[in-house]
Amino acid sequence: MATTFKLNTGAEIPAVGFGTWQDADAQENAVLEAIKAGYRHIDTARVYGTEKAVGQAIKKSGVPREELFVTTKLWNNKHHPDDVPQALQDSLNDLQLDYIDLFLIHWPVAWKRGDELFPKENDKAVVEDIDYVDTYRAMEKLLSSGKVKAIGVSNFSKAEMERLLKETSVVPAAHQLESHPWLQQPDFAEWHKSKGIHVTHYSPFGNQNEVYSKEGTIGKMIEDPVLVDIGKKYNKSGAQVALAWGITQGHSVLPKSKTPSRIQANLEGDFKLSDEDMQKIRGIDRKLRFNDSSADFGKDFFTDLDGKK
């Protein structure tokens, strides 16, 4: 049986989701393949440009809507409270859906209002003074419309989360953030649990490409000897162990692939690790963050979190 977790709304979120960032042209087939393989949790976002493909795949799959859990995200150019309802409607139209299971603020930064996804002046993002608290309050209002079942955030710092809880009335159902065995953030994970906020890991495989650092090439996280070694015990790969590490904590994970064999293999990362194995993985936390858009997005993110360079 596929693992699911209960959100603070009472809804169930499947532990393994299917990520659709990048390769927009390949997504319709990939999502169709994923649904066929058994995925019931699909993650997209306005800025990915994949909502139409996801919508087509869902339609073609023939799987009843109520069996699927679909997440999308509000982009930075639609943070003004007046723009939020239409932004949701645009996503629903492209997805060909009546409602979204989870709607997230993608980043805690607001850009110039309009249709330009990346508004720039002198090569810099045009930032607007719109408070993410006001954006979130506009999302709260959408809950009564039935078009959104749950709301949450992505890429917030701890201070931003605490302020959000203090100044809004709906506790976020989920926080989607970068997490993997090389960026574990145990204290932050524990904090979410204490507030009843579900955590979803994006980039659960860390770096898929080689990353260069002062020590030279650091290799791929999924080839970390500790993960590979633990995998042998369960007859699983290092990548599957990385997914199980998240799931064992009660978090959902968003692997992505367009290769049918990998799509299937990622689903098989849905298993639990022993306490002893979790302890071993704790030892490989490098506090290494691969996705920090601070330089390009006009705001310093993750300032109070691990992995900030």
mmCIF file with all atom_site columns, all heavy atoms in Angstrom, residues 249-265:
data_model
loop_
_atom_site.group_PDB
_atom_site.id
_atom_site.type_symbol
_atom_site.label_atom_id
_atom_site.label_alt_id
_atom_site.label_comp_id
_atom_site.label_asym_id
_atom_site.label_entity_id
_atom_site.label_seq_id
_atom_site.pdbx_PDB_ins_code
_atom_site.Cartn_x
_atom_site.Cartn_y
_atom_site.Cartn_z
_atom_site.occupancy
_atom_site.B_iso_or_equiv
_atom_site.pdbx_formal_charge
_atom_site.auth_seq_id
_atom_site.auth_comp_id
_atom_site.auth_asym_id
_atom_site.auth_atom_id
_atom_site.pdbx_PDB_model_num
ATOM 1   N N   . GLN A 1 249 ? 10.523 10.086 7.996   1.00 0.00 ? 249 GLN A N   1
ATOM 2   C CA  . GLN A 1 249 ? 10.280 11.232 8.896   1.00 0.00 ? 249 GLN A CA  1
ATOM 3   C C   . GLN A 1 249 ? 8.848  11.735 8.852   1.00 0.00 ? 249 GLN A C   1
ATOM 4   O O   . GLN A 1 249 ? 8.480  12.656 9.574   1.00 0.00 ? 249 GLN A O   1
ATOM 5   C CB  . GLN A 1 249 ? 11.177 12.413 8.493   1.00 0.00 ? 249 GLN A CB  1
ATOM 6   C CG  . GLN A 1 249 ? 12.643 12.172 8.638   1.00 0.00 ? 249 GLN A CG  1
ATOM 7   C CD  . GLN A 1 249 ? 13.389 13.375 8.079   1.00 0.00 ? 249 GLN A CD  1
ATOM 8   O OE1 . GLN A 1 249 ? 13.407 14.436 8.672   1.00 0.00 ? 249 GLN A OE1 1
ATOM 9   N NE2 . GLN A 1 249 ? 14.001 13.212 6.922   1.00 0.00 ? 249 GLN A NE2 1
ATOM 10  N N   . GLY A 1 250 ? 8.052  11.169 7.926   1.00 0.00 ? 250 GLY A N   1
ATOM 11  C CA  . GLY A 1 250 ? 6.674  11.650 7.784   1.00 0.00 ? 250 GLY A CA  1
ATOM 12  C C   . GLY A 1 250 ? 6.542  12.761 6.767   1.00 0.00 ? 250 GLY A C   1
ATOM 13  O O   . GLY A 1 250 ? 5.549  13.477 6.731   1.00 0.00 ? 250 GLY A O   1
ATOM 14  N N   . HIS A 1 251 ? 7.565  12.926 5.916   1.00 0.00 ? 251 HIS A N   1
ATOM 15  C CA  . HIS A 1 251 ? 7.533  13.964 4.885   1.00 0.00 ? 251 HIS A CA  1
ATOM 16  C C   . HIS A 1 251 ? 7.207  13.353 3.522   1.00 0.00 ? 251 HIS A C   1
ATOM 17  O O   . HIS A 1 251 ? 7.555  12.200 3.259   1.00 0.00 ? 251 HIS A O   1
ATOM 18  C CB  . HIS A 1 251 ? 8.906  14.654 4.789   1.00 0.00 ? 251 HIS A CB  1
ATOM 19  C CG  . HIS A 1 251 ? 9.343  15.301 6.056   1.00 0.00 ? 251 HIS A CG  1
ATOM 20  N ND1 . HIS A 1 251 ? 10.634 15.754 6.274   1.00 0.00 ? 251 HIS A ND1 1
ATOM 21  C CD2 . HIS A 1 251 ? 8.666  15.599 7.208   1.00 0.00 ? 251 HIS A CD2 1
ATOM 22  C CE1 . HIS A 1 251 ? 10.729 16.285 7.480   1.00 0.00 ? 251 HIS A CE1 1
ATOM 23  N NE2 . HIS A 1 251 ? 9.554  16.201 8.059   1.00 0.00 ? 251 HIS A NE2 1
ATOM 24  N N   . SER A 1 252 ? 6.580  14.131 2.658   1.00 0.00 ? 252 SER A N   1
ATOM 25  C CA  . SER A 1 252 ? 6.397  13.663 1.284   1.00 0.00 ? 252 SER A CA  1
ATOM 26  C C   . SER A 1 252 ? 7.611  14.103 0.455   1.00 0.00 ? 252 SER A C   1
ATOM 27  O O   . SER A 1 252 ? 8.324  15.036 0.826   1.00 0.00 ? 252 SER A O   1
ATOM 28  C CB  . SER A 1 252 ? 5.092  14.187 0.676   1.00 0.00 ? 252 SER A CB  1
ATOM 29  O OG  . SER A 1 252 ? 4.970  15.578 0.844   1.00 0.00 ? 252 SER A OG  1
ATOM 30  N N   . VAL A 1 253 ? 7.846  13.413 -0.642  1.00 0.00 ? 253 VAL A N   1
ATOM 31  C CA  . VAL A 1 253 ? 9.035  13.660 -1.467  1.00 0.00 ? 253 VAL A CA  1
ATOM 32  C C   . VAL A 1 253 ? 8.620  13.804 -2.926  1.00 0.00 ? 253 VAL A C   1
ATOM 33  O O   . VAL A 1 253 ? 7.651  13.196 -3.361  1.00 0.00 ? 253 VAL A O   1
ATOM 34  C CB  . VAL A 1 253 ? 10.061 12.506 -1.316  1.00 0.00 ? 253 VAL A CB  1
ATOM 35  C CG1 . VAL A 1 253 ? 10.661 12.499 0.078   1.00 0.00 ? 253 VAL A CG1 1
ATOM 36  C CG2 . VAL A 1 253 ? 9.423  11.141 -1.614  1.00 0.00 ? 253 VAL A CG2 1
ATOM 37  N N   . LEU A 1 254 ? 9.383  14.617 -3.680  1.00 0.00 ? 254 LEU A N   1
ATOM 38  C CA  . LEU A 1 254 ? 9.018  14.899 -5.068  1.00 0.00 ? 254 LEU A CA  1
ATOM 39  C C   . LEU A 1 254 ? 10.151 14.555 -6.038  1.00 0.00 ? 254 LEU A C   1
ATOM 40  O O   . LEU A 1 254 ? 10.812 15.447 -6.563  1.00 0.00 ? 254 LEU A O   1
ATOM 41  C CB  . LEU A 1 254 ? 8.669  16.385 -5.228  1.00 0.00 ? 254 LEU A CB  1
ATOM 42  C CG  . LEU A 1 254 ? 7.465  16.896 -4.437  1.00 0.00 ? 254 LEU A CG  1
ATOM 43  C CD1 . LEU A 1 254 ? 7.360  18.414 -4.569  1.00 0.00 ? 254 LEU A CD1 1
ATOM 44  C CD2 . LEU A 1 254 ? 6.173  16.226 -4.913  1.00 0.00 ? 254 LEU A CD2 1
ATOM 45  N N   . PRO A 1 255 ? 10.374 13.276 -6.289  1.00 0.00 ? 255 PRO A N   1
ATOM 46  C CA  . PRO A 1 255 ? 11.366 12.938 -7.313  1.00 0.00 ? 255 PRO A CA  1
ATOM 47  C C   . PRO A 1 255 ? 10.818 13.290 -8.689  1.00 0.00 ? 255 PRO A C   1
ATOM 48  O O   . PRO A 1 255 ? 9.602  13.355 -8.872  1.00 0.00 ? 255 PRO A O   1
ATOM 49  C CB  . PRO A 1 255 ? 11.505 11.419 -7.174  1.00 0.00 ? 255 PRO A CB  1
ATOM 50  C CG  . PRO A 1 255 ? 10.187 10.974 -6.633  1.00 0.00 ? 255 PRO A CG  1
ATOM 51  C CD  . PRO A 1 255 ? 9.703  12.090 -5.740  1.00 0.00 ? 255 PRO A CD  1
ATOM 52  N N   . LYS A 1 256 ? 11.701 13.557 -9.635  1.00 0.00 ? 256 LYS A N   1
ATOM 53  C CA  . LYS A 1 256 ? 11.210 13.778 -10.999 1.00 0.00 ? 256 LYS A CA  1
ATOM 54  C C   . LYS A 1 256 ? 12.084 13.031 -11.993 1.00 0.00 ? 256 LYS A C   1
ATOM 55  O O   . LYS A 1 256 ? 13.285 12.882 -11.802 1.00 0.00 ? 256 LYS A O   1
ATOM 56  C CB  . LYS A 1 256 ? 11.124 15.260 -11.330 1.00 0.00 ? 256 LYS A CB  1
ATOM 57  C CG  . LYS A 1 256 ? 12.428 16.024 -11.282 1.00 0.00 ? 256 LYS A CG  1
ATOM 58  C CD  . LYS A 1 256 ? 12.175 17.475 -11.662 1.00 0.00 ? 256 LYS A CD  1
ATOM 59  C CE  . LYS A 1 256 ? 13.452 18.191 -12.020 1.00 0.00 ? 256 LYS A CE  1
ATOM 60  N NZ  . LYS A 1 256 ? 14.378 18.398 -10.938 1.00 0.00 ? 256 LYS A NZ  1
ATOM 61  N N   . SER A 1 257 ? 11.431 12.541 -13.046 1.00 0.00 ? 257 SER A N   1
ATOM 62  C CA  . SER A 1 257 ? 12.150 11.827 -14.093 1.00 0.00 ? 257 SER A CA  1
ATOM 63  C C   . SER A 1 257 ? 11.231 11.730 -15.296 1.00 0.00 ? 257 SER A C   1
ATOM 64  O O   . SER A 1 257 ? 10.016 11.842 -15.170 1.00 0.00 ? 257 SER A O   1
ATOM 65  C CB  . SER A 1 257 ? 12.512 10.413 -13.632 1.00 0.00 ? 257 SER A CB  1
ATOM 66  O OG  . SER A 1 257 ? 13.131 9.720  -14.697 1.00 0.00 ? 257 SER A OG  1
ATOM 67  N N   . LYS A 1 258 ? 11.809 11.571 -16.478 1.00 0.00 ? 258 LYS A N   1
ATOM 68  C CA  . LYS A 1 258 ? 10.945 11.315 -17.646 1.00 0.00 ? 258 LYS A CA  1
ATOM 69  C C   . LYS A 1 258 ? 11.218 9.928  -18.219 1.00 0.00 ? 258 LYS A C   1
ATOM 70  O O   . LYS A 1 258 ? 10.665 9.533  -19.228 1.00 0.00 ? 258 LYS A O   1
ATOM 71  C CB  . LYS A 1 258 ? 11.109 12.415 -18.696 1.00 0.00 ? 258 LYS A CB  1
ATOM 72  C CG  . LYS A 1 258 ? 12.529 12.780 -18.996 1.00 0.00 ? 258 LYS A CG  1
ATOM 73  C CD  . LYS A 1 258 ? 12.622 13.963 -19.943 1.00 0.00 ? 258 LYS A CD  1
ATOM 74  C CE  . LYS A 1 258 ? 14.081 14.176 -20.308 1.00 0.00 ? 258 LYS A CE  1
ATOM 75  N NZ  . LYS A 1 258 ? 14.332 15.225 -21.228 1.00 0.00 ? 258 LYS A NZ  1
ATOM 76  N N   . THR A 1 259 ? 12.096 9.173  -17.552 1.00 0.00 ? 259 THR A N   1
ATOM 77  C CA  . THR A 1 259 ? 12.428 7.817  -17.994 1.00 0.00 ? 259 THR A CA  1
ATOM 78  C C   . THR A 1 259 ? 11.509 6.815  -17.303 1.00 0.00 ? 259 THR A C   1
ATOM 79  O O   . THR A 1 259 ? 11.501 6.753  -16.064 1.00 0.00 ? 259 THR A O   1
ATOM 80  C CB  . THR A 1 259 ? 13.894 7.481  -17.595 1.00 0.00 ? 259 THR A CB  1
ATOM 81  O OG1 . THR A 1 259 ? 14.706 8.605  -17.896 1.00 0.00 ? 259 THR A OG1 1
ATOM 82  C CG2 . THR A 1 259 ? 14.392 6.253  -18.288 1.00 0.00 ? 259 THR A CG2 1
ATOM 83  N N   . PRO A 1 260 ? 10.716 6.053  -18.055 1.00 0.00 ? 260 PRO A N   1
ATOM 84  C CA  . PRO A 1 260 ? 9.751  5.130  -17.436 1.00 0.00 ? 260 PRO A CA  1
ATOM 85  C C   . PRO A 1 260 ? 10.339 4.235  -16.341 1.00 0.00 ? 260 PRO A C   1
ATOM 86  O O   . PRO A 1 260 ? 9.735  4.078  -15.277 1.00 0.00 ? 260 PRO A O   1
ATOM 87  C CB  . PRO A 1 260 ? 9.243  4.306  -18.626 1.00 0.00 ? 260 PRO A CB  1
ATOM 88  C CG  . PRO A 1 260 ? 9.341  5.252  -19.784 1.00 0.00 ? 260 PRO A CG  1
ATOM 89  C CD  . PRO A 1 260 ? 10.576 6.065  -19.530 1.00 0.00 ? 260 PRO A CD  1
ATOM 90  N N   . SER A 1 261 ? 11.538 3.684  -16.568 1.00 0.00 ? 261 SER A N   1
ATOM 91  C CA  . SER A 1 261 ? 12.106 2.779  -15.556 1.00 0.00 ? 261 SER A CA  1
ATOM 92  C C   . SER A 1 261 ? 12.414 3.531  -14.261 1.00 0.00 ? 261 SER A C   1
ATOM 93  O O   . SER A 1 261 ? 12.231 3.011  -13.163 1.00 0.00 ? 261 SER A O   1
ATOM 94  C CB  . SER A 1 261 ? 13.380 2.119  -16.086 1.00 0.00 ? 261 SER A CB  1
ATOM 95  O OG  . SER A 1 261 ? 14.336 3.114  -16.431 1.00 0.00 ? 261 SER A OG  1
ATOM 96  N N   . ARG A 1 262 ? 12.877 4.783  -14.386 1.00 0.00 ? 262 ARG A N   1
ATOM 97  C CA  . ARG A 1 262 ? 13.178 5.572  -13.177 1.00 0.00 ? 262 ARG A CA  1
ATOM 98  C C   . ARG A 1 262 ? 11.903 6.047  -12.494 1.00 0.00 ? 262 ARG A C   1
ATOM 99  O O   . ARG A 1 262 ? 11.851 6.146  -11.272 1.00 0.00 ? 262 ARG A O   1
ATOM 100 C CB  . ARG A 1 262 ? 14.031 6.798  -13.542 1.00 0.00 ? 262 ARG A CB  1
ATOM 101 C CG  . ARG A 1 262 ? 15.466 6.433  -13.773 1.00 0.00 ? 262 ARG A CG  1
ATOM 102 C CD  . ARG A 1 262 ? 16.399 7.517  -13.244 1.00 0.00 ? 262 ARG A CD  1
ATOM 103 N NE  . ARG A 1 262 ? 17.735 7.290  -13.777 1.00 0.00 ? 262 ARG A NE  1
ATOM 104 C CZ  . ARG A 1 262 ? 18.286 8.014  -14.737 1.00 0.00 ? 262 ARG A CZ  1
ATOM 105 N NH1 . ARG A 1 262 ? 17.624 9.021  -15.262 1.00 0.00 ? 262 ARG A NH1 1
ATOM 106 N NH2 . ARG A 1 262 ? 19.493 7.734  -15.155 1.00 0.00 ? 262 ARG A NH2 1
ATOM 107 N N   . ILE A 1 263 ? 10.907 6.380  -13.298 1.00 0.00 ? 263 ILE A N   1
ATOM 108 C CA  . ILE A 1 263 ? 9.614  6.800  -12.738 1.00 0.00 ? 263 ILE A CA  1
ATOM 109 C C   . ILE A 1 263 ? 9.096  5.686  -11.824 1.00 0.00 ? 263 ILE A C   1
ATOM 110 O O   . ILE A 1 263 ? 8.664  5.921  -10.700 1.00 0.00 ? 263 ILE A O   1
ATOM 111 C CB  . ILE A 1 263 ? 8.609  7.122  -13.878 1.00 0.00 ? 263 ILE A CB  1
ATOM 112 C CG1 . ILE A 1 263 ? 9.011  8.439  -14.569 1.00 0.00 ? 263 ILE A CG1 1
ATOM 113 C CG2 . ILE A 1 263 ? 7.180  7.191  -13.363 1.00 0.00 ? 263 ILE A CG2 1
ATOM 114 C CD1 . ILE A 1 263 ? 8.216  8.784  -15.822 1.00 0.00 ? 263 ILE A CD1 1
ATOM 115 N N   . GLN A 1 264 ? 9.189  4.464  -12.319 1.00 0.00 ? 264 GLN A N   1
ATOM 116 C CA  . GLN A 1 264 ? 8.758  3.282  -11.543 1.00 0.00 ? 264 GLN A CA  1
ATOM 117 C C   . GLN A 1 264 ? 9.655  3.082  -10.320 1.00 0.00 ? 264 GLN A C   1
ATOM 118 O O   . GLN A 1 264 ? 9.180  2.876  -9.194  1.00 0.00 ? 264 GLN A O   1
ATOM 119 C CB  . GLN A 1 264 ? 8.807  2.040  -12.444 1.00 0.00 ? 264 GLN A CB  1
ATOM 120 C CG  . GLN A 1 264 ? 8.322  0.758  -11.765 1.00 0.00 ? 264 GLN A CG  1
ATOM 121 C CD  . GLN A 1 264 ? 6.880  0.846  -11.303 1.00 0.00 ? 264 GLN A CD  1
ATOM 122 O OE1 . GLN A 1 264 ? 5.984  1.207  -12.069 1.00 0.00 ? 264 GLN A OE1 1
ATOM 123 N NE2 . GLN A 1 264 ? 6.633  0.532  -10.033 1.00 0.00 ? 264 GLN A NE2 1
ATOM 124 N N   . ALA A 1 265 ? 10.961 3.182  -10.531 1.00 0.00 ? 265 ALA A N   1
ATOM 125 C CA  . ALA A 1 265 ? 11.917 2.948  -9.433  1.00 0.00 ? 265 ALA A CA  1
ATOM 126 C C   . ALA A 1 265 ? 11.727 3.953  -8.301  1.00 0.00 ? 265 ALA A C   1
ATOM 127 O O   . ALA A 1 265 ? 11.829 3.598  -7.116  1.00 0.00 ? 265 ALA A O   1
ATOM 128 C CB  . ALA A 1 265 ? 13.352 3.024  -9.970  1.00 0.00 ? 265 ALA A CB  1
#
